Amino acid sequence: MPSIRILEAISGADFSWQPGDLVDLPEKQAAVWADGHRAERVEDLGPAGGEGRWPEVAPVVFTADGVELAVLDAVLVEADPDGTPDGMPAAGRWSVTVVWPDDAPPVESVAYDPDEHVSREVLAYLADVGEEEAVRVLDVEAAGQNRAGIAKERDTVLTQARANDEARAAADQEDAELAAEASHGGDLRDGIETR
């Protein structure tokens, strides 16, 4: 059975998962939850509750800015192994003590600079971004090289960027609905659910 590591707190009618929890789920449910935001997949760690069920490697902890923190202590505790009903996934939780840096420098993200690319590369980049990033890059381009080939595509690029935003929002909504359905005990098959 696949395992996922919880990245953000999630709860439902009959479960509550915290960041760091490891949870066994059926393949389809694991695929829905492990979207990189709510949870991520981990290697198959053996049978739930069995010897060696949880890994003995301490987690790597980062700040929101991407600064790795020194882990002083990490203990992995299986959550209520005797109280887990049959058929329900076993869960565990990391308890981690870290050193919080007082003077950790902020990690600066490097923004895409159209002046460092040829027109073809800039347009290829803009084909996959959202509206906010498209406007930023087009404004940088207009203030910099202001190439005619890119400027004449501004309306087309912004229309595509809005469509990209809508597609991402629809995909996120569909993933959230599947996850909610899975958390309430429904299966993930297409069609009308009956209970």
Side-chain angles (χ1 to χ4, degrees):
M1 185 175 288
S3 296
I4 61 171
R5 179 177 292 112
I6 304 303
L7 300 175
E8 66 179 27
I10 305 168
S11 64
D14 57 357
F15 72 96
S16 177
W17 300 329
Q18 298 300 317
D21 289 358
L22 297 175
V23 181
D24 292 334
L25 293 172
E27 182 64 40
K28 286 184 178 181
Q29 289 182 11
V32 170
W33 285 106
D35 61 3
H37 298 290
R38 295 179 295 239
E40 62 186 2
R41 296 207 44 158
V42 294
E43 303 271 334
D44 186 9
L45 301 173
E51 189 66 31
R53 166 62 183 90
W54 306 109
E56 295 300 324
V57 178
V60 180
V61 180
F62 295 91
T63 66
D65 296 330
V67 177
E68 184 174 351
L69 302 177
V71 176
L72 296 177
D73 186 37
V75 178
L76 189 56
V77 180
E78 191 163 352
D80 196 17
D82 297 326
T84 304
D86 290 341
M88 290 297 294
R93 177 167 298 140
W94 277 108
S95 175
V96 181
T97 304
V98 298
V99 176
W100 190 261
D102 292 329
D103 60 347
V107 176
E108 295 182 21
S109 60
V110 179
Y112 184 87
D113 184 357
D115 291 340
E116 296 177 2
H117 302 275
V118 297
S119 295
R120 174 180 38 84
E121 293 171 341
V122 174
L123 291 172
Y125 173 76
L126 290 171
D128 295 325
V129 300
E131 184 176 17
E132 183 178 336
E133 175 66 355
V135 168
R136 185 195 68 77
V137 171
L138 289 169
D139 289 348
V140 169
E141 170 65 25
Q145 294 185 36
N146 198 20
R147 292 168 278 196
I150 295 174
K152 74 176 184 178
E153 296 295 326
R154 183 178 182 92
D155 291 339
T156 304
V157 166
L158 292 176
T159 299
Q160 179 61 47
R162 289 183 198 105
N164 292 344
D165 284 342
E166 290 172 7
R168 286 186 186 102
D172 288 347
Q173 178 65 29
E174 183 178 348
D175 286 348
E177 289 172 2
L178 285 171
E181 182 65 23
S183 72
H184 294 299
D187 66 29
L188 301 176
R189 293 180 296 212
D190 293 333
I192 298 172
E193 176 186 354
T194 57
R195 295 188 188 190

